[in-house]
Amino acid sequence: MTGSAGLGDTGAFGGEGDAGLLSPVSASPLVGALTGDRAVLAAILAVESGWAAVLEKAGLAPAGSAAVVSAAAEPGRYGVAGIARRAQGGGNPVIPLLADLRKNVQALDGTGIGAGKAVHTTLTSQDVLDTALMLLARNTVEALLGDLKRTTAALASLAEEHADTLCVGRSLTQHSLPFTFGLRAAQWFHGVAAAGRQLEGLAYPVQFGGAAGTLAAGTVLASGSPNTPFSLADALAAQLGLAAAPAPWHTNRLVVTSLGNALAAVLDAFGKIAADVLFLSRPEVGELAEPRAAGRGVSSAMPQKQNPVLSVLVRSAALQAPQLVAQLHLAAASFNDERPDAAWHTEWPALRQLLALALGAAVHIRELAGGLQAFPDAMRRNLDLAGPLLLAEGVGAAVGPLLGTKDGLTGKEQLQAVVDQTLQAPSGEQSATYRKLLRDAVPAGVLTDLRLEELLNPASYLGEAANISRRILAAFPEYAATPALPDTDPNGDPRG
């Protein structure tokens, strides 16, 4: 143990004992294990340990160094809270952690091989922290994509199951045209799958560059050996399972902003689903209901309430994402000189919060999609509220061209007049009024009663709804199938 150990620990997002009390969407063991302070610490130590292994393999550090550094880099040896407080001295957590790591390496180097020579040689705090955050992001996104693909598989099943389930489409809050719940689920799937594919396309590159991005110290280190600073950086990338980088990216932050954009896109897609479920599960709408679980959705004052908490939590994450991404872009546009000052520091909490929110929301949206209850009878009831007026567009397209000019009005204008007159009738009488006025306006020779009923059947005016759903699912086959995932999360807890 070093002097920093035993000083307490921190939770997922910052202050000592912070367990996410005011961020319930991301308050879970899985999120904490992958994005919490201890995960950051472990990632920093992994970078230092990985670099020691690279140097030893390249013959640039004493034999046996990597094993000593690896043992000293065991995260359990370090107290996060103490390191966090001491980080104020140098402005980042790598500096105090590195001091403790060196002490531990010295203590464990029992045979005196000089393993300390392998610690942090030619690296900078930014090299280590940027690379560590790429490790953190890669691990988090990997878990996120697992939940995301379970979500899309559930949405694909809903789309197929309800391909012919009629509901009402809404535009600017009003009933617009007949729709299907299958297409709605397919559009949800489309948003999530497209965002997931964007997320899968990201690279997580190693950072290297040294004090000013010239690799001067690395050049000196590698002189006289077959290695170059570039080959050593590529070896570190391979050691950590990250992408090689063609050059240092100290102040070129597209890597970070691209990650932020992709995470925000995922949360946008999640937020759309949550917003729809929140509306459609209102008692007066009643078309959907969230899956129930003991203790979920309760009210502190109203025992009869069943709140759609999953959707509330997911939407809360989606509403936070844009500001966090904006912070990443603001930082990227403010990175000055060859290595930056405070702009770099503002990236860390914004990026980590995005990762935590996306992963937390993914867990909830997976459960929501997998257990969502659909009520076709309520969908049909709401569809019928507008009556045959909902088919006015289709009637106009089919019948308008068949009508000649009358009283100076074209066929389209005559049919619009029928709609306008209908809307003046009480809402309970509009259905019968529209049918009567339409029948009076269109001669039987132009439109038979049978053809009229066909035009006023909502199922007759769905356009290409079924084909659109099929095309969406076919465009993302890898997201439509249920993925095989581990039975436990990285924290050892069951993944239900």
Side-chain angles (χ1 to χ4, degrees):
M1 291 283 186
T2 70
S4 67
L7 292 177
D9 205 346
T10 58
F13 314 120
E16 190 169 350
D18 183 358
L21 191 63
L22 296 182
S23 186
V25 64
S26 50
S28 81
L30 174 62
V31 176
L34 290 173
T35 68
D37 280 346
R38 188 152 289 282
V40 175
L41 181 147
I44 294 172
L45 290 169
V47 175
E48 294 287 359
S49 179
W51 184 241
V54 167
L55 293 182
E56 181 181 332
K57 187 174 182 180
L60 299 174
S65 297
V68 175
V69 176
S70 177
E74 167 57 43
R77 293 176 175 272
Y78 303 87
V80 176
I83 291 171
R85 284 191 290 269
R86 291 157 57 213
Q88 297 176 58
N92 73 71
V94 176
I95 295 172
L97 178 57
L98 184 59
D100 294 346
L101 175 63
R102 283 181 167 135
K103 291 178 182 178
N104 279 337
V105 168
Q106 184 177 8
L108 292 174
D109 190 6
T111 58
I113 62 174
K117 297 176 182 178
V119 177
H120 201 71
T121 300
T122 77
L123 296 180
T124 67
S125 295
Q126 187 169 359
D127 289 336
V128 173
L129 192 51
D130 278 352
T131 301
L133 288 175
M134 289 298 102
L135 271 178
L136 193 83
R138 183 203 64 192
N139 295 341
T140 303
V141 168
E142 184 178 281
L144 191 162
L145 284 169
D147 284 323
L148 186 150
K149 288 185 176 181
R150 280 190 169 184
T151 296
T152 53
L155 294 176
S157 294
L158 282 173
E160 293 168 345
E161 179 184 352
H162 293 280
D164 300 318
T165 300
L166 289 173
C167 64
V168 65
R170 297 174 177 88
S171 172
L172 300 179
T173 76
Q174 305 299 298
H175 288 193
S176 56
L177 291 176
F179 207 72
T180 67
F181 180 59
L183 180 54
R184 182 168 290 143
Q187 291 289 16
W188 292 343
F189 168 94
H190 191 186
V192 177
R197 190 174 279 179
Q198 180 179 340
L199 196 59
E200 283 192 290
L202 294 176
Y204 305 92
V206 70
Q207 174 71 281
F208 70 107
T214 63
L215 294 170
T219 302
V220 173
L221 175 70
S223 63
S225 79
N227 305 287
T228 69
F230 302 103
S231 67
L232 293 174
D234 290 349
L236 178 60
Q239 178 77 21
L240 298 174
L242 296 176
W249 44 279
H250 285 159
T251 54
N252 300 319
R253 308 307 284 183
L254 186 62
V255 167
V256 176
T257 55
S258 295
L259 173 58
N261 293 342
L263 291 168
V266 167
L267 285 167
D268 289 346
F270 290 172
K272 161 60 177 169
I273 298 171
D276 281 351
V277 173
L278 285 168
F279 171 75
L280 295 171
S281 62
R282 289 172 179 261
E284 61 270 28
V285 180
E287 297 183 14
L288 298 176
E290 289 192 351
R292 295 199 173 195
R296 180 189 295 147
V298 297
S299 166
S300 64
M302 294 164 281
Q304 84 284 1
K305 286 190 71 180
Q306 184 67 37
N307 296 317
V309 173
L310 292 174
S311 297
V312 169
L313 292 176
V314 170
R315 190 162 187 249
S316 77
L319 293 176
Q320 294 177 71
Q323 290 80 8
L324 294 167
V325 179
Q327 178 60 61
L328 296 180
H329 283 281
L330 178 62
S334 304
F335 267 49
N336 56 328
D337 302 326
E338 279 60 59
R339 283 181 63 198
D341 47 37
W344 179 50
H345 297 67
T346 67
E347 268 187 356
W348 314 336
L351 178 59
R352 184 168 64 156
Q353 183 72 349
L354 264 175
L355 288 164
L357 288 171
L359 180 57
V363 172
H364 296 304
I365 202 77
R366 180 198 76 199
E367 184 178 357
L368 174 63
L372 191 64
Q373 301 176 70
F375 304 113
D377 290 345
M379 294 179 188
R380 184 58 193 247
R381 178 199 68 215
N382 293 332
L383 173 66
D384 290 341
L385 287 176
L389 271 177
L390 200 67
L391 283 302
E393 180 189 74
V395 170
V399 180
L402 304 178
L403 299 177
T405 301
K406 180 179 180 182
D407 298 330
L409 299 176
T410 65
K412 180 179 180 180
E413 290 170 336
Q414 293 171 48
L415 293 173
Q416 183 62 54
V418 169
V419 172
D420 293 342
Q421 286 181 262
T422 301
L423 291 174
Q424 297 175 26
S427 60
E429 301 175 13
Q430 287 181 358
S431 178
T433 300
Y434 181 65
R435 288 177 179 274
K436 181 180 184 305
L437 292 176
L438 184 61
R439 181 70 284 172
D440 293 344
V442 183
V446 173
L447 189 71
T448 66
D449 289 342
L450 179 60
R451 178 57 178 152
L452 174 62
E453 290 306 312
E454 289 176 351
L455 290 173
L456 297 182
N457 178 2
S460 72
Y461 199 63
L462 292 171
E464 299 293 335
N467 284 330
I468 293 170
S469 294
R470 282 192 285 268
R471 287 171 65 87
I472 289 172
L473 298 182
F476 300 90
E478 73 275 27
Y479 284 88
T482 302
L485 291 179
D487 294 328
T488 59
D489 66 29
N491 211 41
D493 295 324
R495 297 177 68 101

